[in-house]
CSV table of all heavy atoms in Angstrom, one decimal:
chain,number,residue,atom,x,y,z
A,1306,GLY,N,85.5,-198.5,-214.9
A,1306,GLY,CA,85.8,-197.1,-214.7
A,1306,GLY,C,85.0,-196.6,-213.5
A,1306,GLY,O,84.7,-197.2,-212.6
A,1307,LEU,N,84.8,-195.3,-213.6
A,1307,LEU,CA,84.0,-194.6,-212.5
A,1307,LEU,C,82.5,-194.8,-212.7
A,1307,LEU,O,82.0,-194.8,-213.8
A,1307,LEU,CB,84.3,-193.1,-212.6
A,1307,LEU,CG,83.8,-192.2,-211.5
A,1307,LEU,CD1,84.5,-192.6,-210.2
A,1307,LEU,CD2,84.1,-190.7,-211.8
A,1308,THR,N,81.9,-195.2,-211.6
A,1308,THR,CA,80.5,-195.6,-211.6
A,1308,THR,C,79.7,-194.8,-210.6
A,1308,THR,O,80.3,-194.5,-209.5
A,1308,THR,CB,80.3,-197.1,-211.3
A,1308,THR,OG1,81.1,-197.8,-212.3
A,1308,THR,CG2,78.9,-197.5,-211.4
A,1309,LEU,N,78.5,-194.4,-210.9
A,1309,LEU,CA,77.7,-193.6,-210.0
A,1309,LEU,C,76.3,-194.1,-209.9
A,1309,LEU,O,75.7,-194.6,-210.9
A,1309,LEU,CB,77.6,-192.1,-210.5
A,1309,LEU,CG,77.0,-191.1,-209.7
A,1309,LEU,CD1,77.8,-189.8,-209.7
A,1309,LEU,CD2,75.6,-190.8,-210.2
A,1310,ARG,N,75.8,-194.2,-208.6
A,1310,ARG,CA,74.4,-194.5,-208.4
A,1310,ARG,C,73.8,-193.5,-207.5
A,1310,ARG,O,74.4,-193.1,-206.5
A,1310,ARG,CB,74.3,-195.9,-207.6
A,1310,ARG,CG,74.6,-197.0,-208.4
A,1310,ARG,CD,74.5,-198.3,-207.7
A,1310,ARG,NE,74.0,-198.2,-206.3
A,1310,ARG,CZ,73.5,-199.2,-205.6
A,1310,ARG,NH1,73.4,-200.4,-206.1
A,1310,ARG,NH2,73.0,-199.0,-204.4
A,1311,SER,N,72.6,-193.0,-207.8
A,1311,SER,CA,72.0,-192.0,-207.0
A,1311,SER,C,70.7,-192.5,-206.4
A,1311,SER,O,70.0,-193.3,-207.0
A,1311,SER,CB,71.7,-190.7,-207.7
A,1311,SER,OG,70.6,-190.8,-208.6
A,1312,GLY,N,70.4,-192.1,-205.2
A,1312,GLY,CA,69.1,-192.5,-204.5
A,1312,GLY,C,68.0,-191.5,-205.0
A,1312,GLY,O,68.2,-190.8,-206.0
A,1313,ARG,N,67.0,-191.4,-204.2
A,1313,ARG,CA,65.9,-190.5,-204.5
A,1313,ARG,C,66.1,-189.2,-203.6
A,1313,ARG,O,66.7,-189.3,-202.6
A,1313,ARG,CB,64.5,-191.1,-204.1
A,1313,ARG,CG,64.2,-192.4,-204.8
A,1313,ARG,CD,63.9,-192.3,-206.2
A,1313,ARG,NE,62.9,-191.3,-206.5
A,1313,ARG,CZ,62.7,-190.7,-207.7
A,1313,ARG,NH1,63.5,-191.0,-208.7
A,1313,ARG,NH2,61.7,-189.9,-207.8
A,1314,VAL,N,65.6,-188.1,-204.1
A,1314,VAL,CA,65.6,-186.9,-203.3
A,1314,VAL,C,64.8,-187.1,-202.1
A,1314,VAL,O,63.7,-187.5,-202.1
A,1314,VAL,CB,65.1,-185.7,-204.2
A,1314,VAL,CG1,65.0,-184.4,-203.3
A,1314,VAL,CG2,66.0,-185.4,-205.4
A,1315,ASP,N,65.4,-186.7,-200.9
A,1315,ASP,CA,64.8,-186.9,-199.6
A,1315,ASP,C,64.5,-185.5,-199.1
A,1315,ASP,O,65.3,-184.6,-199.4
A,1315,ASP,CB,65.7,-187.7,-198.7
A,1315,ASP,CG,65.0,-188.1,-197.4
A,1315,ASP,OD1,63.7,-188.1,-197.4
A,1315,ASP,OD2,65.6,-188.5,-196.4
A,1316,ALA,N,63.5,-185.3,-198.3
A,1316,ALA,CA,63.2,-184.0,-197.7
A,1316,ALA,C,63.2,-184.0,-196.2
A,1316,ALA,O,62.8,-185.0,-195.6
A,1316,ALA,CB,61.8,-183.6,-198.2
A,1317,ALA,N,63.7,-182.9,-195.6
A,1317,ALA,CA,63.7,-182.7,-194.2
A,1317,ALA,C,63.8,-181.2,-193.8
A,1317,ALA,O,64.7,-180.6,-194.2
A,1317,ALA,CB,64.9,-183.4,-193.5
A,1318,LEU,N,62.8,-180.7,-193.1
A,1318,LEU,CA,62.8,-179.3,-192.6
A,1318,LEU,C,63.1,-178.3,-193.7
A,1318,LEU,O,63.8,-177.3,-193.6
A,1318,LEU,CB,63.8,-179.1,-191.5
A,1318,LEU,CG,63.6,-180.0,-190.3
A,1318,LEU,CD1,64.8,-179.9,-189.3
A,1318,LEU,CD2,62.3,-179.7,-189.6
A,1319,GLY,N,62.5,-178.4,-194.9
A,1319,GLY,CA,62.7,-177.5,-196.0
A,1319,GLY,C,63.9,-177.7,-196.8
A,1319,GLY,O,64.1,-177.1,-197.8
A,1320,SER,N,64.8,-178.7,-196.4
A,1320,SER,CA,66.0,-179.0,-197.1
A,1320,SER,C,65.7,-180.2,-198.0
A,1320,SER,O,64.8,-181.0,-197.7
A,1320,SER,CB,67.1,-179.3,-196.2
A,1320,SER,OG,67.5,-178.2,-195.5
Side-chain angles (χ1 to χ4, degrees):
L1307 189 63
T1308 303
L1309 185 138
R1310 289 183 3 164
S1311 74
R1313 302 293 304 159
V1314 173
D1315 192 19
L1318 301 173
S1320 294

